[in-house]
Amino acid sequence: MSRYDIEKFDPPPDPDLVCCICQCVLDKAVECPCRHVFCQICIERWLSNRHTCPTCRKRTRKTDLKPVLPLVQNMLNRLMMICDFRQNGCIDKVMLENFERHVKNCGYEMKTCRFSKCGQPILRMYIEKHENEDCPHREIICNGDCGLMIPLSEMSVHNCVSALKAHIEG
Ligand SMILES: [Zn+2]
Ligand SMILES: [Zn+2]
Ligand SMILES: [Zn+2]
Ligand SMILES: [Zn+2]
Ligand SMILES: [Zn+2]
């Protein structure tokens, strides 16, 4: 699935905002002198071995390409997208211009507990609590003499001197 696959938009995008080369919503939209619009990467790839607009076949070169009008870019920016993590429970719809930021921070992304003995999949919104408070395999700083990070599960048999020795040797 490409970044701007039509399926990710709700409501479906206007056909004028869809690239006829990749069939996805325009990604970094540019226009040819004939005013036909394409994703920058799609049209540049097309023009590197042909010199015509894919829609109307007018003579076009890479150097003729221009960014689309701000009006078109604004229409693109405001398209509503479905979060990548909908199947995990995120019901947010996000404007295209905010989509990347949302997905990077979405609480419904599945993460993996950082403690290797655990490795449990946990939603981002719960992972901090899990790793700091709930994980049976989390490590805590020993408040005895060694001051090392010790797995909670080993704390009852932990010995500062032998742990320090193992730490220095290992
Ligand atoms: Zn394209
Ligand atoms: Zn054209
Ligand atoms: Zn989300
Ligand atoms: Zn865990
Ligand atoms: Zn200790």
Side-chain angles (χ1 to χ4, degrees), residues 39-50:
C39 311
Q40 183 176 16
I41 189 159
C42 292
I43 188 68
E44 284 188 351
R45 220 177 269 155
W46 174 278
L47 292 176
S48 57
N49 40 30
R50 284 153 282 216

Side-chain angles (χ1 to χ4, degrees), residues 37-112:
V37 292
F38 308 94
C39 311
Q40 183 176 16
I41 189 159
C42 292
I43 188 68
E44 284 188 351
R45 220 177 269 155
W46 174 278
L47 292 176
S48 57
N49 40 30
R50 284 153 282 216
H51 300 291
T52 53
C53 165
T55 304
C56 68
R57 318 221 166 262
K58 243 180 139 174
R59 230 181 135 63
T60 309
R61 296 184 167 277
K62 267 191 217 180
T63 48
D64 300 328
L65 299 174
K66 279 193 296 208
V68 290
L69 297 174
L71 177 82
V72 177
Q73 192 53 56
N74 289 341
M75 285 166 68
L76 286 163
N77 287 344
R78 290 194 203 120
L79 291 177
M80 298 307 284
M81 298 183 74
I82 298 164
C83 176
D84 286 351
F85 305 116
R86 171 167 280 194
Q87 74 277 17
N88 297 346
C90 181
I91 54 164
D92 284 1
K93 279 202 249 165
V94 193
M95 283 202 281
L96 180 145
E97 63 180 339
N98 299 326
F99 187 73
E100 243 167 86
R101 199 182 327 142
H102 173 87
V103 164
K104 229 182 257 172
N105 297 302
C106 178
Y108 289 89
E109 183 180 4
M110 203 53 94
K111 308 294 271 182
T112 305

